[in-house]
């Protein structure tokens, strides 16, 4: 829980320091091509980036061959290459697919008894280090639909925990004995998956466009435990579901480079739920627009997963990984 609170407080302070003048309402007025909604070519091109203010009808866009306010197509080379940050208010359905690959050092363990009985597992083992699976590789994807200020997204991250090593100490796992000196193979995989709803808020002030999207959802933790060595192999599969909180803060100051921060929290233990899952996924992404429908991003993050059940000797998985990644965002 200290990790969850620390990450939450850090992002809250960062948002308060970086964007102290949050706008309560956005008025429609003169704007650039980067402050609009998707035109026929799929880019955000007109100034309709907020809901009309009550009692003030919006004027129709005016034709402008130079590619300025009100046009339906971006015409300058710089504008044509930009994806442009999605505004808080989107007048029609827009889809975004984000994909990335994460790689980083992994620490933790996979304690796996059989039937919760004492003597069927070595406590807090096997560790990823002794299995030779101490490098995280995690392909990750998230598909989001936006309409108005509403956001619905679904995604998954597959933690591939494969490796091999020779045991230095005796190990018992799932009631199978592995003596020291056994050549071990780990083929374990963790599938974190989620579906969520968010509501976008326009916090734009004098420092470019800022959009905050807090949300709630359902988080799934799926574990396929598989190790083998000598004449033995041990395996166990299960999936657990939990409530989830998430948020994304995105900032576009103009140009092709943008910044976003995202946070996903699962805190079953704090909510008093049985067989809890606790998870933190904190990410900073630097985006570079390649074309109207695609942008490249570099990411750094910290991910933590923990799950244990209520048996006499619990199944207890605990893992942490700082990581770096690269990915693409696509507008569909």
């Amino acid at each position: 829980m200290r990790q969850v609170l620390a990450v939450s407080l850090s992002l809250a302070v960062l948002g308060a320091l970086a964007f102290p003048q949050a706008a309560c309402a956005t008025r429609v007025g003169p704007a650039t091509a980067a402050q609009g909604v998707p035109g026929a070519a799929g880019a955000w091109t007109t100034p309709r980036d907020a809901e009309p203010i009550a009692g003030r009808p919006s004027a129709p866009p005016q034709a402008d061959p130079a590619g300025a306010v009100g046009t339906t197509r971006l015409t300058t080379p710089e504008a044509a290459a930009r994806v442009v940050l999605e505004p808080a208010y989107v007048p029609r359905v827009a889809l975004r697919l984000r994909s990335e690959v994460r790689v980083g050092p992994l620490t933790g363990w996979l304690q796996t008894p059989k039937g919760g009985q004492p003597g069927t597992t070595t406590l807090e083992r096997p560790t990823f280090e002794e299995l030779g699976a101490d490098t995280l590789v995690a392909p990750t994807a998230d598909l989001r639909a936006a309409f108005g200020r509403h956001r619905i997204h679904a995604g998954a991250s597959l933690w591939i925990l494969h490796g091999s090593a020779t045991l230095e100490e005796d190990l018992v796992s799932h009631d199978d004995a592995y003596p020291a000196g056994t050549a071990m193979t780990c083929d374990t995989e963790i599938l974190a998956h989620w579906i969520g709803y968010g509501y976008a808020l326009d916090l734009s002030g004098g420092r470019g466009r800022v959009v905050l999207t807090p949300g709630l959802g359902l988080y799934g933790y799926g574990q396929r435990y598989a190790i083998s060595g000598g004449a033995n192999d041990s395996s166990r599969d299960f999936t657990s579901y939990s409530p989830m909180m998430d948020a994304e803060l995105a900032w576009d100051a103009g140009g092709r480079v943008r910044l976003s921060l995202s946070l996903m929290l699962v805190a079953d233990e704090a909510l008093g739920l049985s067989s809890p899952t606790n998870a933190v996924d904190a990410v900073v992404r630097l985006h570079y627009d390649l074309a109207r429908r695609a942008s490249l991003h570099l990411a750094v993050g910290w991910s933590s997963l923990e799950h244990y059940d209520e048996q006499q000797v619990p199944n207890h998985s605990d893992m942490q990984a700082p990581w770096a990644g690269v990915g693409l965002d696509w507008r569909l």
Side-chain angles (χ1 to χ4, degrees), residues 30 35 45 82 86 273 275 298:
Q35 290 178 302
T45 59
R82 296 202 58 214
E86 186 176 83
L273 302 180
S275 297
L298 302 177

Side-chain angles (χ1 to χ4, degrees), residues 43-330:
W44 300 97
T45 59
T46 73
R48 304 295 177 258
D49 91 319
E51 301 171 75
I53 297 175
R56 298 191 183 184
S58 299
Q62 303 297 316
D64 186 344
V69 175
T71 62
T72 58
R73 182 179 295 273
L74 296 176
T75 57
T76 67
E78 175 69 17
R82 296 202 58 214
V83 174
V84 184
L85 174 63
E86 186 176 83
Y89 182 80
V90 181
R92 61 175 182 244
V93 175
L95 299 179
R96 182 208 68 191
L97 176 62
R98 171 171 293 163
S99 60
E100 66 190 18
V101 176
R102 306 172 172 186
V103 179
L106 178 69
T107 59
W109 66 78
L110 296 166
Q111 176 179 301
T112 308
K114 188 170 185 177
Q117 297 301 308
T120 61
T121 184
T122 307
L123 297 181
E124 298 185 357
R125 289 181 62 206
T127 66
F128 296 113
E129 182 179 8
E130 68 181 329
L131 293 176
D134 52 356
T135 298
L136 171 69
V137 178
T140 303
D142 186 85
L143 177 64
R144 188 182 74 180
F147 180 74
R149 293 185 180 271
H150 307 286
R151 306 290 188 267
I152 297 175
H153 70 108
S157 182
L158 179 62
W159 292 38
I160 301 174
L161 312 177
H162 294 179
S164 58
T166 301
L167 281 181
E168 296 182 359
E169 301 179 45
D170 293 348
L171 170 70
V172 177
S173 184
H174 206 244
D175 205 24
D176 296 314
Y178 300 93
T182 301
M184 299 293 297
T185 299
C186 179
D187 293 306
T188 298
E189 295 174 352
I190 306 294
L191 180 63
H193 49 290
W194 55 84
I195 184 169
Y197 168 81
Y199 189 81
L201 305 171
D202 190 343
L203 305 183
S204 301
R207 302 183 183 182
R209 173 178 290 158
V210 182
V211 177
L212 173 65
T213 308
L216 297 171
L218 184 68
Y219 182 92
Y221 173 87
Q223 178 176 305
R224 188 182 73 85
Y225 177 66
I227 65 171
S228 60
N232 292 328
D233 61 83
S234 307
S235 62
R236 183 178 185 271
D237 300 354
F238 70 91
T239 302
S240 174
Y241 289 96
S242 307
M244 173 190 78
M245 298 175 287
D246 65 358
E248 182 178 55
L249 180 68
W251 176 47
D252 185 354
R256 295 192 181 191
V257 178
R258 293 172 288 115
L259 181 70
S260 68
L261 297 83
S262 65
L263 177 66
M264 185 180 296
L265 294 176
V266 178
D268 287 357
E269 189 173 13
L271 298 175
L273 302 180
S274 61
S275 297
T277 297
N278 301 303
V280 179
D281 190 66
V283 188
V284 178
R285 295 182 177 91
L286 186 66
H287 306 258
Y288 181 81
D289 297 334
L290 300 174
R292 283 198 301 265
R293 295 181 180 271
S295 66
L296 174 73
H297 67 261
L298 302 177
V300 292
W302 186 77
S303 298
S304 173
L305 281 174
E306 181 187 27
H307 176 85
Y308 61 90
D309 57 29
E310 304 297 323
Q311 298 184 94
Q312 181 180 359
V313 177
N315 289 280
H316 188 185
S317 303
D318 192 341
M319 57 202 83
Q320 300 85 35
W323 53 266
V326 61
L328 289 171
D329 285 7
W330 298 91

